[in-house]
Amino acid sequence: MKIGIFGGSFDPVHNEHIALVKSAVESLSLDRLFVVPAKIPPHKIGKTLSDDQARFELCKLAFEKIDRVEVSDCELKHDTTSYSYLTVERFKQEYPNAELFFLLGT
């Protein structure tokens, strides 16, 4: 199984996020792609983000019509800094036999 992980603040989610997700699902032949809004992005500590639940819901709306894509609240459940390597470790534990792809925005 091939799984993509796309983390970010998504504040706001926008058309380039959607384009990247669509492209990754197709070009990498992903079985699933998880969009993961960050609770506390390390590069934005001290900055005010929009409400967590609002960002989560807006991501769900933005990606709902893209096959094989799911929005995960796994980082939003923790009141800690959202480090990518910890998120990847969580997915590796949950999907031990999967080939993981970590996507970065620009």
Side-chain angles (χ1 to χ4, degrees):
M1 176 180 275
K2 295 169 82 173
I3 294 177
I5 304 164
F6 182 32
S9 57
F10 301 103
D11 191 24
V13 62
H14 54 72
N15 289 335
E16 290 305 316
H17 292 134
I18 295 165
L20 176 66
V21 163
K22 286 180 179 178
S23 177
V25 168
E26 294 306 316
S27 64
L28 297 171
S29 301
L30 297 176
D31 296 296
R32 290 178 80 183
L33 186 145
F34 291 93
V35 174
V36 184
K39 175 74 173 184
I40 305 169
H43 62 290
K44 295 188 178 183
I45 291 175
K47 296 182 181 178
T48 302
L49 292 178
S50 297
D51 178 74
D52 294 344
Q53 192 61 35
R55 291 184 296 118
F56 179 70
E57 294 299 328
L58 289 171
C59 281
K60 284 175 39 179
L61 286 171
F63 297 105
E64 71 183 352
K65 293 184 177 157
I66 306 172
D67 289 338
R68 298 175 274 166
V69 175
E70 179 180 331
V71 180
S72 170
D73 64 353
C74 69
E75 287 188 0
L76 296 176
K77 292 177 183 178
H78 304 281
D79 285 329
T80 59
T81 303
S82 300
Y83 291 107
S84 300
Y85 80 96
L86 295 173
T87 302
V88 172
E89 284 180 357
R90 280 189 213 110
F91 276 92
K92 188 64 180 166
Q93 288 175 0
E94 189 168 342
Y95 301 96
N97 298 317
E99 184 178 6
L100 299 179
F101 295 82
F102 187 77
L103 307 177
L104 296 175
T106 57

